[in-house]
Amino acid sequence: MKFYAIKTPEFCKVVTSWPECEKLTHGVKGALFKSFKTKEEADAWCSGISAPVKEGIRVYVDGSFSPGFPYAGWGFVVTDGEEVLAKACGITSFPAESRNIDGEVMASFQAMRWLATNNKIGIICHDYEGIARWAKGEWQAKSSIAKQYVSAIQPYLKNVQFEKVEAHTGVKFNEMVDGLAKEAIAVAKQKAGQS
């Protein structure tokens, strides 16, 4: 069962069917809606509260790209519940061929390396679907960056699982890692004398 949280200028409501959600939002100016797996998450979104932080080791990854700068930014944050165990960010060592996707896959690769180096098993929390799809062989790696990613992560796959996180929905650590990837580009641009 899915729960559909709806926000309009007049009300905020959680419903349990798509037809009901569609009826309440179709043609309504300013209406926002999102599906959730639990009523608790839907209620939290309606209230403007961040989704509850899940227990266990999770590594949030993200990438970023800035037009006019050739490299992509990447970042990861390792968490155990509310505790941040580690974080890192940087830029790709090669010009980005697929804009922010290069940063996304570099973040995932770096996160997997961190887990292996620290003898940890964890969940890679990503907002770009290709992170898990390529790793699991569900998508064929056709681009150069996808092929490099699939090849590079093979030694690390036994220590990870994957979890899709919706981008820009108030998930605390996903927002944090998005900021790290952007910050990496800003710092690199400053060092290169760009604004």
Side-chain angles (χ1 to χ4, degrees), residues 64-71 99-100 185 189 194-195:
S64 187
F65 184 79
S66 176
F69 186 71
Y71 304 95
R99 301 174 60 93
N100 66 305
I185 290 177
K189 284 172 80 171
Q194 295 182 352
S195 53

Side-chain angles (χ1 to χ4, degrees), residues 4-186:
Y4 298 88
I6 303 164
K7 289 183 188 178
T8 73
E10 283 79 44
F11 67 88
C12 189
K13 183 175 186 174
V14 175
V15 298
T16 57
S17 75
W18 170 245
E20 190 176 1
C21 178
E22 189 174 33
K23 181 180 173 184
L24 292 168
T25 58
H26 184 73
V28 177
K29 189 173 183 174
L32 300 172
F33 58 91
K34 181 171 170 42
S35 69
F36 294 90
K37 292 180 181 175
T38 68
K39 186 167 187 322
E40 178 187 25
E41 291 172 321
D43 286 336
W45 186 78
C46 264
S47 302
I49 300 170
S50 295
V53 174
K54 296 178 181 176
E55 293 301 314
I57 295 188
R58 288 182 148 59
V59 188
Y60 292 82
V61 299
D62 207 357
S64 187
F65 184 79
S66 176
F69 186 71
Y71 304 95
W74 61 267
F76 72 79
V77 176
V78 184
T79 67
D80 188 353
E82 289 282 352
E83 182 183 359
V84 173
L85 302 178
K87 58 185 175 177
C89 64
I91 58 169
T92 54
S93 56
F94 44 84
E97 68 176 53
S98 298
R99 301 174 60 93
N100 66 305
I101 293 173
D102 290 56
E104 304 271 357
V105 299
M106 180 59 81
S108 182
F109 168 70
Q110 294 289 351
M112 288 185 214
R113 279 185 49 195
W114 186 94
L115 287 169
T117 301
N118 291 279
N119 296 314
K120 304 275 187 198
I121 294 174
I123 298 172
I124 303 293
C125 299
H126 56 92
D127 57 24
Y128 175 62
E129 194 171 357
I131 294 299
R133 298 282 187 160
W134 284 322
K136 295 177 181 179
E138 295 171 355
W139 283 2
Q140 185 179 0
K142 295 180 182 177
S143 68
S144 173
I145 189 64
K147 289 175 184 174
Q148 289 174 49
Y149 171 65
V150 168
S151 175
I153 64 173
Q154 291 308 307
Y156 307 116
L157 290 177
K158 65 183 180 298
N159 292 331
V160 298
Q161 294 178 353
F162 297 91
E163 182 177 290
K164 177 92 167 62
V165 177
E166 293 302 320
H168 311 296
T169 55
V171 176
K172 178 180 175 179
F173 294 117
N174 199 52
E175 298 298 332
M176 180 186 292
V177 79
D178 177 63
L180 284 175
K182 286 179 169 74
E183 179 184 323
I185 290 177

